[in-house]
Amino acid sequence: MPDLLLELFSEEIPARMQAKAADDLKRLVTDKLVAEGLVYEGAKAFATPRRLTLVVHGIPARQPDLKDERKGPKVGAPEAAVQGFLKATGLASLEEAKIQSDPKKGDFYIALIEKPGRPAIDVLADILPVIVRTFPWPKAMRWGERSEKPGALQWVRPLHSIVATFGIDTEEPDVVRFDVSGIVAGQVTRGHRFMAPGEISVRRFADYESKLFDAKVVLDPERRKNIILADAKTLAQAQNLELVEDPGLLDEVSGLVEWPVALMGSFDKEFLSIPGEVIRATIRNNQKCFVVRDPATGQLANRFILTANIEASDGGQKITAGNERVIRARLSDAKFFYETDLKTKLEDRLKKFDQIVFHEKLGTQAERVARIERLAAEIAPLVGADVEKVRRAAKLCKADLLTEVVGEFPELQGLMGKYYALAQGEDESVAAACEEHYKPQGPNDRVPSDPVSIAVALADKLDTLVGFWAIDEKPTGSKDPYALRRAALGVIRLIGENGLRLNLVHQLDKHAAEIDVAAKRLETKPAPGSIVMSQAAIAHVSMNWAGRNVRKNIVDLLSFFADRLKVQLRDQGARHDLVDAVFALEGQDDILMIVRRVEALAAFLATDDGKNLLAGTKRAANILRIEEKKDGRAYDGAPDPSLYAQDEEKALASAIDAAKSEAGAAVAKEDFAAAMTAMAKLRPAVDAFFDKVTVNAEDKAVRENRLKLLNEIRAATRAVADFSKIQD
């Protein structure tokens, strides 16, 4: 079957847009093909700085014929309905329609539509120009004389040519005939801008890719990345050095070149006196170059690797020299910033926070730091941290935001705080906390293990969550501007991976009160230079955390933690319904214990006893739900032993009492596996009860007593989890 080759050749496409653009092109074309009945065998998209390319294999040469039966209005319907039906189906008159009888609704007109399939190349000629015109670039531009006309083509950069061929491997392909704003599709492209700028006539993908490579264009971005990485490693190894790999930079650089050529440059050794991260950020951000290190020491070397887009006649000497000049100037600036920052202690910078607003409704950065310091000091004993070190770390943790280096390279916040804290003689744990209190920043980021860092990190994240919950700035399905999901997941990982016992409700309650006090302080005395908080905003914050709304907000925030915990556990292979079953119990805010309960519950339900007990419990719950709804009352009282008429009732009651006692004792010892084992002992008695006992007995008193006994099953299992939340 034929293949489609499509290339859209333009001026340089920004590197950050290329991968998504290639995916969008593939999706748009293949979706249209399938919608037109042209089911293909495979497709692949490519991007270089100057072109988007798509190859679609195995497209049928022709659309299948379409046969459709469309139901119309009733016989005798108004003329307007009839005319609408004829227009929609393409019938000339009702004589071309058939009449179908429906015993219940009467007679209807039916149109039998037969539409012969079109050649695939004609379908492509229709859909491709539409896709080009409506392509979803984040930003697009118009250009040239045509840009003044209505409906002018918009593209990310000026579009120069379109290649569109269609045919089978063994024959000369046809050109898909269409044009977009005067750009006529053909089979001519161009090679490398400098080394092979001439026209290239292409036929099909294999021919196209080969000719491009001969014209100094590597089409596949993955191949370009592999070339850059391999050549950079070779250059580094030749100097007994090691490349500092950077996947993000590699992705970006591969989108800047069509013919990658790795070159090595150097800078003065004096710049190695500044932190390696500053050197790397300077060289990476300004020149898109890689750094190298000495494998023996792990320290950066005064070398860098750049990626050129040309094989220069001088071996790249001028290109390297130009990059060295720019990097020398940038590193001089970075060295000046770093040395200037060292002249001022971190705590001496803190006064500036009085003038910087963290959030209009939450006060200044100074007030925020004070809240974090107080909360961290409360958490410190719970995580085994020195309270004074925690206070010191919390006080200084945000100070590096006011430094020159962090102003230039925001991604170094925290890290520079550590360097400056060590330079001014702070305790190592305090310095480490200045960096680590931001962690973990993602599911794969490292979790701090130093108690001081843990305390400050928890305080920072809990303050953020409580504060933004108070002002009703919660995440939505599509937006999370304050990274609150990440903060909640960070709290969960800090607690879980460090095996901490933390009463979240207690901490959230106390900090909610602190936020309320902050709001009232803003009302009476706003910080100098800060935004004056509106009366409505103050009233909202105060009301949101005052009185009865405190509990509602705490419950809502705990539910948010539960959702994040579900995501975390699901990623680890756990079931989200088991998290629901544990969270449904009163007072479940100890994340470590929740995780252990979920693990024990999952193990229990994997056994035959667990599965059968779950089935019995659900049966009991379903009967109760039906009968309670019918009777308009709850059967939650204690059953009367004197009304037990059968041995199975007595056995079940005895088993429930034993299970409650044994499971309760195990839960008190936090031995959830033992609690599950105790619940398993209910299974035989539950099975026997349902086999031998009729719940809805004729005697009303016996019936009521048996329903209460069923409720006892439900109540007993709630010692470990709410089984009604567990999916079958």
Side-chain angles (χ1 to χ4, degrees), residues 705-723:
N705 205 58
R706 288 174 178 174
L707 288 171
K708 288 181 178 180
L709 189 56
L710 291 187
N711 186 63
E712 288 292 293
I713 299 175
R714 186 168 59 180
T717 55
R718 285 184 66 87
V720 291
D722 184 347
F723 276 47

mmCIF file with all atom_site columns, all heavy atoms in Angstrom, residues 705-723:
data_model
loop_
_atom_site.group_PDB
_atom_site.id
_atom_site.type_symbol
_atom_site.label_atom_id
_atom_site.label_alt_id
_atom_site.label_comp_id
_atom_site.label_asym_id
_atom_site.label_entity_id
_atom_site.label_seq_id
_atom_site.pdbx_PDB_ins_code
_atom_site.Cartn_x
_atom_site.Cartn_y
_atom_site.Cartn_z
_atom_site.occupancy
_atom_site.B_iso_or_equiv
_atom_site.pdbx_formal_charge
_atom_site.auth_seq_id
_atom_site.auth_comp_id
_atom_site.auth_asym_id
_atom_site.auth_atom_id
_atom_site.pdbx_PDB_model_num
ATOM 1   N N   . ASN A 1 705 ? -33.456 -8.012  65.603 1.00 0.00 ? 705 ASN A N   1
ATOM 2   C CA  . ASN A 1 705 ? -32.255 -8.462  66.296 1.00 0.00 ? 705 ASN A CA  1
ATOM 3   C C   . ASN A 1 705 ? -31.210 -8.973  65.308 1.00 0.00 ? 705 ASN A C   1
ATOM 4   O O   . ASN A 1 705 ? -30.009 -8.737  65.475 1.00 0.00 ? 705 ASN A O   1
ATOM 5   C CB  . ASN A 1 705 ? -32.625 -9.557  67.304 1.00 0.00 ? 705 ASN A CB  1
ATOM 6   C CG  . ASN A 1 705 ? -31.617 -9.648  68.435 1.00 0.00 ? 705 ASN A CG  1
ATOM 7   O OD1 . ASN A 1 705 ? -31.390 -8.658  69.142 1.00 0.00 ? 705 ASN A OD1 1
ATOM 8   N ND2 . ASN A 1 705 ? -31.016 -10.809 68.603 1.00 0.00 ? 705 ASN A ND2 1
ATOM 9   N N   . ARG A 1 706 ? -31.673 -9.677  64.274 1.00 0.00 ? 706 ARG A N   1
ATOM 10  C CA  . ARG A 1 706 ? -30.735 -10.203 63.282 1.00 0.00 ? 706 ARG A CA  1
ATOM 11  C C   . ARG A 1 706 ? -30.117 -9.076  62.439 1.00 0.00 ? 706 ARG A C   1
ATOM 12  O O   . ARG A 1 706 ? -28.947 -9.147  62.049 1.00 0.00 ? 706 ARG A O   1
ATOM 13  C CB  . ARG A 1 706 ? -31.444 -11.228 62.393 1.00 0.00 ? 706 ARG A CB  1
ATOM 14  C CG  . ARG A 1 706 ? -31.721 -12.526 63.139 1.00 0.00 ? 706 ARG A CG  1
ATOM 15  C CD  . ARG A 1 706 ? -32.544 -13.527 62.334 1.00 0.00 ? 706 ARG A CD  1
ATOM 16  N NE  . ARG A 1 706 ? -32.738 -14.760 63.098 1.00 0.00 ? 706 ARG A NE  1
ATOM 17  C CZ  . ARG A 1 706 ? -33.499 -15.765 62.706 1.00 0.00 ? 706 ARG A CZ  1
ATOM 18  N NH1 . ARG A 1 706 ? -34.171 -15.689 61.548 1.00 0.00 ? 706 ARG A NH1 1
ATOM 19  N NH2 . ARG A 1 706 ? -33.612 -16.852 63.465 1.00 0.00 ? 706 ARG A NH2 1
ATOM 20  N N   . LEU A 1 707 ? -30.905 -8.042  62.157 1.00 0.00 ? 707 LEU A N   1
ATOM 21  C CA  . LEU A 1 707 ? -30.353 -6.889  61.432 1.00 0.00 ? 707 LEU A CA  1
ATOM 22  C C   . LEU A 1 707 ? -29.306 -6.175  62.286 1.00 0.00 ? 707 LEU A C   1
ATOM 23  O O   . LEU A 1 707 ? -28.277 -5.702  61.767 1.00 0.00 ? 707 LEU A O   1
ATOM 24  C CB  . LEU A 1 707 ? -31.478 -5.926  61.034 1.00 0.00 ? 707 LEU A CB  1
ATOM 25  C CG  . LEU A 1 707 ? -32.406 -6.428  59.908 1.00 0.00 ? 707 LEU A CG  1
ATOM 26  C CD1 . LEU A 1 707 ? -33.603 -5.498  59.751 1.00 0.00 ? 707 LEU A CD1 1
ATOM 27  C CD2 . LEU A 1 707 ? -31.641 -6.532  58.589 1.00 0.00 ? 707 LEU A CD2 1
ATOM 28  N N   . LYS A 1 708 ? -29.560 -6.106  63.583 1.00 0.00 ? 708 LYS A N   1
ATOM 29  C CA  . LYS A 1 708 ? -28.560 -5.510  64.472 1.00 0.00 ? 708 LYS A CA  1
ATOM 30  C C   . LYS A 1 708 ? -27.282 -6.356  64.505 1.00 0.00 ? 708 LYS A C   1
ATOM 31  O O   . LYS A 1 708 ? -26.175 -5.823  64.611 1.00 0.00 ? 708 LYS A O   1
ATOM 32  C CB  . LYS A 1 708 ? -29.132 -5.365  65.892 1.00 0.00 ? 708 LYS A CB  1
ATOM 33  C CG  . LYS A 1 708 ? -30.183 -4.267  66.016 1.00 0.00 ? 708 LYS A CG  1
ATOM 34  C CD  . LYS A 1 708 ? -30.696 -4.156  67.449 1.00 0.00 ? 708 LYS A CD  1
ATOM 35  C CE  . LYS A 1 708 ? -31.702 -3.026  67.586 1.00 0.00 ? 708 LYS A CE  1
ATOM 36  N NZ  . LYS A 1 708 ? -32.213 -2.907  68.982 1.00 0.00 ? 708 LYS A NZ  1
ATOM 37  N N   . LEU A 1 709 ? -27.450 -7.661  64.385 1.00 0.00 ? 709 LEU A N   1
ATOM 38  C CA  . LEU A 1 709 ? -26.292 -8.545  64.359 1.00 0.00 ? 709 LEU A CA  1
ATOM 39  C C   . LEU A 1 709 ? -25.477 -8.319  63.076 1.00 0.00 ? 709 LEU A C   1
ATOM 40  O O   . LEU A 1 709 ? -24.242 -8.340  63.105 1.00 0.00 ? 709 LEU A O   1
ATOM 41  C CB  . LEU A 1 709 ? -26.749 -10.002 64.464 1.00 0.00 ? 709 LEU A CB  1
ATOM 42  C CG  . LEU A 1 709 ? -25.650 -11.062 64.673 1.00 0.00 ? 709 LEU A CG  1
ATOM 43  C CD1 . LEU A 1 709 ? -24.806 -10.742 65.908 1.00 0.00 ? 709 LEU A CD1 1
ATOM 44  C CD2 . LEU A 1 709 ? -26.274 -12.448 64.788 1.00 0.00 ? 709 LEU A CD2 1
ATOM 45  N N   . LEU A 1 710 ? -26.189 -8.105  61.973 1.00 0.00 ? 710 LEU A N   1
ATOM 46  C CA  . LEU A 1 710 ? -25.477 -7.775  60.729 1.00 0.00 ? 710 LEU A CA  1
ATOM 47  C C   . LEU A 1 710 ? -24.702 -6.470  60.878 1.00 0.00 ? 710 LEU A C   1
ATOM 48  O O   . LEU A 1 710 ? -23.581 -6.327  60.362 1.00 0.00 ? 710 LEU A O   1
ATOM 49  C CB  . LEU A 1 710 ? -26.471 -7.643  59.565 1.00 0.00 ? 710 LEU A CB  1
ATOM 50  C CG  . LEU A 1 710 ? -27.166 -8.905  59.075 1.00 0.00 ? 710 LEU A CG  1
ATOM 51  C CD1 . LEU A 1 710 ? -27.976 -8.611  57.822 1.00 0.00 ? 710 LEU A CD1 1
ATOM 52  C CD2 . LEU A 1 710 ? -26.160 -10.005 58.792 1.00 0.00 ? 710 LEU A CD2 1
ATOM 53  N N   . ASN A 1 711 ? -25.293 -5.520  61.569 1.00 0.00 ? 711 ASN A N   1
ATOM 54  C CA  . ASN A 1 711 ? -24.595 -4.248  61.794 1.00 0.00 ? 711 ASN A CA  1
ATOM 55  C C   . ASN A 1 711 ? -23.341 -4.454  62.631 1.00 0.00 ? 711 ASN A C   1
ATOM 56  O O   . ASN A 1 711 ? -22.350 -3.727  62.473 1.00 0.00 ? 711 ASN A O   1
ATOM 57  C CB  . ASN A 1 711 ? -25.533 -3.253  62.490 1.00 0.00 ? 711 ASN A CB  1
ATOM 58  C CG  . ASN A 1 711 ? -24.891 -1.884  62.612 1.00 0.00 ? 711 ASN A CG  1
ATOM 59  O OD1 . ASN A 1 711 ? -24.598 -1.237  61.615 1.00 0.00 ? 711 ASN A OD1 1
ATOM 60  N ND2 . ASN A 1 711 ? -24.655 -1.440  63.851 1.00 0.00 ? 711 ASN A ND2 1
ATOM 61  N N   . GLU A 1 712 ? -23.385 -5.468  63.517 1.00 0.00 ? 712 GLU A N   1
ATOM 62  C CA  . GLU A 1 712 ? -22.202 -5.769  64.327 1.00 0.00 ? 712 GLU A CA  1
ATOM 63  C C   . GLU A 1 712 ? -21.042 -6.264  63.445 1.00 0.00 ? 712 GLU A C   1
ATOM 64  O O   . GLU A 1 712 ? -19.878 -5.993  63.731 1.00 0.00 ? 712 GLU A O   1
ATOM 65  C CB  . GLU A 1 712 ? -22.548 -6.839  65.372 1.00 0.00 ? 712 GLU A CB  1
ATOM 66  C CG  . GLU A 1 712 ? -23.425 -6.337  66.508 1.00 0.00 ? 712 GLU A CG  1
ATOM 67  C CD  . GLU A 1 712 ? -22.677 -5.347  67.386 1.00 0.00 ? 712 GLU A CD  1
ATOM 68  O OE1 . GLU A 1 712 ? -21.711 -5.754  68.072 1.00 0.00 ? 712 GLU A OE1 1
ATOM 69  O OE2 . GLU A 1 712 ? -23.045 -4.156  67.351 1.00 0.00 ? 712 GLU A OE2 1
ATOM 70  N N   . ILE A 1 713 ? -21.375 -6.995  62.355 1.00 0.00 ? 713 ILE A N   1
ATOM 71  C CA  . ILE A 1 713 ? -20.324 -7.414  61.410 1.00 0.00 ? 713 ILE A CA  1
ATOM 72  C C   . ILE A 1 713 ? -19.670 -6.174  60.813 1.00 0.00 ? 713 ILE A C   1
ATOM 73  O O   . ILE A 1 713 ? -18.438 -6.051  60.749 1.00 0.00 ? 713 ILE A O   1
ATOM 74  C CB  . ILE A 1 713 ? -20.918 -8.290  60.282 1.00 0.00 ? 713 ILE A CB  1
ATOM 75  C CG1 . ILE A 1 713 ? -21.549 -9.558  60.845 1.00 0.00 ? 713 ILE A CG1 1
ATOM 76  C CG2 . ILE A 1 713 ? -19.843 -8.625  59.247 1.00 0.00 ? 713 ILE A CG2 1
ATOM 77  C CD1 . ILE A 1 713 ? -22.264 -10.396 59.784 1.00 0.00 ? 713 ILE A CD1 1
ATOM 78  N N   . ARG A 1 714 ? -20.503 -5.250  60.367 1.00 0.00 ? 714 ARG A N   1
ATOM 79  C CA  . ARG A 1 714 ? -20.001 -4.010  59.766 1.00 0.00 ? 714 ARG A CA  1
ATOM 80  C C   . ARG A 1 714 ? -19.156 -3.226  60.755 1.00 0.00 ? 714 ARG A C   1
ATOM 81  O O   . ARG A 1 714 ? -18.081 -2.723  60.417 1.00 0.00 ? 714 ARG A O   1
ATOM 82  C CB  . ARG A 1 714 ? -21.192 -3.167  59.278 1.00 0.00 ? 714 ARG A CB  1
ATOM 83  C CG  . ARG A 1 714 ? -20.823 -1.927  58.512 1.00 0.00 ? 714 ARG A CG  1
ATOM 84  C CD  . ARG A 1 714 ? -22.043 -1.329  57.817 1.00 0.00 ? 714 ARG A CD  1
ATOM 85  N NE  . ARG A 1 714 ? -23.108 -0.981  58.746 1.00 0.00 ? 714 ARG A NE  1
ATOM 86  C CZ  . ARG A 1 714 ? -24.280 -0.444  58.373 1.00 0.00 ? 714 ARG A CZ  1
ATOM 87  N NH1 . ARG A 1 714 ? -24.527 -0.242  57.087 1.00 0.00 ? 714 ARG A NH1 1
ATOM 88  N NH2 . ARG A 1 714 ? -25.196 -0.147  59.261 1.00 0.00 ? 714 ARG A NH2 1
ATOM 89  N N   . ALA A 1 715 ? -19.635 -3.151  61.991 1.00 0.00 ? 715 ALA A N   1
ATOM 90  C CA  . ALA A 1 715 ? -18.903 -2.396  63.016 1.00 0.00 ? 715 ALA A CA  1
ATOM 91  C C   . ALA A 1 715 ? -17.584 -3.065  63.374 1.00 0.00 ? 715 ALA A C   1
ATOM 92  O O   . ALA A 1 715 ? -16.568 -2.402  63.606 1.00 0.00 ? 715 ALA A O   1
ATOM 93  C CB  . ALA A 1 715 ? -19.772 -2.246  64.265 1.00 0.00 ? 715 ALA A CB  1
ATOM 94  N N   . ALA A 1 716 ? -17.585 -4.409  63.397 1.00 0.00 ? 716 ALA A N   1
ATOM 95  C CA  . ALA A 1 716 ? -16.366 -5.136  63.769 1.00 0.00 ? 716 ALA A CA  1
ATOM 96  C C   . ALA A 1 716 ? -15.265 -4.922  62.740 1.00 0.00 ? 716 ALA A C   1
ATOM 97  O O   . ALA A 1 716 ? -14.098 -4.691  63.091 1.00 0.00 ? 716 ALA A O   1
ATOM 98  C CB  . ALA A 1 716 ? -16.673 -6.623  63.914 1.00 0.00 ? 716 ALA A CB  1
ATOM 99  N N   . THR A 1 717 ? -15.622 -4.985  61.470 1.00 0.00 ? 717 THR A N   1
ATOM 100 C CA  . THR A 1 717 ? -14.597 -4.835  60.430 1.00 0.00 ? 717 THR A CA  1
ATOM 101 C C   . THR A 1 717 ? -14.053 -3.413  60.366 1.00 0.00 ? 717 THR A C   1
ATOM 102 O O   . THR A 1 717 ? -12.942 -3.198  59.884 1.00 0.00 ? 717 THR A O   1
ATOM 103 C CB  . THR A 1 717 ? -15.157 -5.229  59.049 1.00 0.00 ? 717 THR A CB  1
ATOM 104 O OG1 . THR A 1 717 ? -16.336 -4.458  58.777 1.00 0.00 ? 717 THR A OG1 1
ATOM 105 C CG2 . THR A 1 717 ? -15.474 -6.714  59.000 1.00 0.00 ? 717 THR A CG2 1
ATOM 106 N N   . ARG A 1 718 ? -14.821 -2.448  60.871 1.00 0.00 ? 718 ARG A N   1
ATOM 107 C CA  . ARG A 1 718 ? -14.331 -1.061  60.855 1.00 0.00 ? 718 ARG A CA  1
ATOM 108 C C   . ARG A 1 718 ? -13.179 -0.845  61.825 1.00 0.00 ? 718 ARG A C   1
ATOM 109 O O   . ARG A 1 718 ? -12.591 0.231   61.871 1.00 0.00 ? 718 ARG A O   1
ATOM 110 C CB  . ARG A 1 718 ? -15.468 -0.085  61.170 1.00 0.00 ? 718 ARG A CB  1
ATOM 111 C CG  . ARG A 1 718 ? -16.441 0.100   60.009 1.00 0.00 ? 718 ARG A CG  1
ATOM 112 C CD  . ARG A 1 718 ? -17.495 1.141   60.332 1.00 0.00 ? 718 ARG A CD  1
ATOM 113 N NE  . ARG A 1 718 ? -16.904 2.467   60.478 1.00 0.00 ? 718 ARG A NE  1
ATOM 114 C CZ  . ARG A 1 718 ? -16.697 3.307   59.463 1.00 0.00 ? 718 ARG A CZ  1
ATOM 115 N NH1 . ARG A 1 718 ? -17.019 2.942   58.235 1.00 0.00 ? 718 ARG A NH1 1
ATOM 116 N NH2 . ARG A 1 718 ? -16.173 4.499   59.668 1.00 0.00 ? 718 ARG A NH2 1
ATOM 117 N N   . ALA A 1 719 ? -12.850 -1.861  62.598 1.00 0.00 ? 719 ALA A N   1
ATOM 118 C CA  . ALA A 1 719 ? -11.653 -1.754  63.441 1.00 0.00 ? 719 ALA A CA  1
ATOM 119 C C   . ALA A 1 719 ? -10.398 -1.646  62.587 1.00 0.00 ? 719 ALA A C   1
ATOM 120 O O   . ALA A 1 719 ? -9.386  -1.084  63.016 1.00 0.00 ? 719 ALA A O   1
ATOM 121 C CB  . ALA A 1 719 ? -11.558 -2.965  64.371 1.00 0.00 ? 719 ALA A CB  1
ATOM 122 N N   . VAL A 1 720 ? -10.473 -2.178  61.353 1.00 0.00 ? 720 VAL A N   1
ATOM 123 C CA  . VAL A 1 720 ? -9.295  -2.140  60.483 1.00 0.00 ? 720 VAL A CA  1
ATOM 124 C C   . VAL A 1 720 ? -9.529  -1.303  59.230 1.00 0.00 ? 720 VAL A C   1
ATOM 125 O O   . VAL A 1 720 ? -8.598  -0.693  58.703 1.00 0.00 ? 720 VAL A O   1
ATOM 126 C CB  . VAL A 1 720 ? -8.858  -3.563  60.088 1.00 0.00 ? 720 VAL A CB  1
ATOM 127 C CG1 . VAL A 1 720 ? -8.304  -4.312  61.283 1.00 0.00 ? 720 VAL A CG1 1
ATOM 128 C CG2 . VAL A 1 720 ? -9.999  -4.341  59.450 1.00 0.00 ? 720 VAL A CG2 1
ATOM 129 N N   . ALA A 1 721 ? -10.767 -1.261  58.716 1.00 0.00 ? 721 ALA A N   1
ATOM 130 C CA  . ALA A 1 721 ? -11.052 -0.486  57.506 1.00 0.00 ? 721 ALA A CA  1
ATOM 131 C C   . ALA A 1 721 ? -12.555 -0.470  57.277 1.00 0.00 ? 721 ALA A C   1
ATOM 132 O O   . ALA A 1 721 ? -13.299 -1.284  57.827 1.00 0.00 ? 721 ALA A O   1
ATOM 133 C CB  . ALA A 1 721 ? -10.344 -1.090  56.294 1.00 0.00 ? 721 ALA A CB  1
ATOM 134 N N   . ASP A 1 722 ? -12.998 0.477   56.451 1.00 0.00 ? 722 ASP A N   1
ATOM 135 C CA  . ASP A 1 722 ? -14.402 0.522   56.054 1.00 0.00 ? 722 ASP A CA  1
ATOM 136 C C   . ASP A 1 722 ? -14.548 -0.341  54.802 1.00 0.00 ? 722 ASP A C   1
ATOM 137 O O   . ASP A 1 722 ? -14.266 0.089   53.689 1.00 0.00 ? 722 ASP A O   1
ATOM 138 C CB  . ASP A 1 722 ? -14.812 1.968   55.757 1.00 0.00 ? 722 ASP A CB  1
ATOM 139 C CG  . ASP A 1 722 ? -16.297 2.090   55.436 1.00 0.00 ? 722 ASP A CG  1
ATOM 140 O OD1 . ASP A 1 722 ? -16.928 1.049   55.202 1.00 0.00 ? 722 ASP A OD1 1
ATOM 141 O OD2 . ASP A 1 722 ? -16.813 3.218   55.399 1.00 0.00 ? 722 ASP A OD2 1
ATOM 142 N N   . PHE A 1 723 ? -15.009 -1.577  55.006 1.00 0.00 ? 723 PHE A N   1
ATOM 143 C CA  . PHE A 1 723 ? -15.072 -2.540  53.903 1.00 0.00 ? 723 PHE A CA  1
ATOM 144 C C   . PHE A 1 723 ? -16.041 -2.109  52.809 1.00 0.00 ? 723 PHE A C   1
ATOM 145 O O   . PHE A 1 723 ? -15.955 -2.589  51.675 1.00 0.00 ? 723 PHE A O   1
ATOM 146 C CB  . PHE A 1 723 ? -15.451 -3.920  54.440 1.00 0.00 ? 723 PHE A CB  1
ATOM 147 C CG  . PHE A 1 723 ? -14.288 -4.711  54.967 1.00 0.00 ? 723 PHE A CG  1
ATOM 148 C CD1 . PHE A 1 723 ? -13.353 -4.149  55.822 1.00 0.00 ? 723 PHE A CD1 1
ATOM 149 C CD2 . PHE A 1 723 ? -14.117 -6.033  54.601 1.00 0.00 ? 723 PHE A CD2 1
ATOM 150 C CE1 . PHE A 1 723 ? -12.286 -4.868  56.307 1.00 0.00 ? 723 PHE A CE1 1
ATOM 151 C CE2 . PHE A 1 723 ? -13.036 -6.777  55.074 1.00 0.00 ? 723 PHE A CE2 1
ATOM 152 C CZ  . PHE A 1 723 ? -12.113 -6.195  55.933 1.00 0.00 ? 723 PHE A CZ  1
#
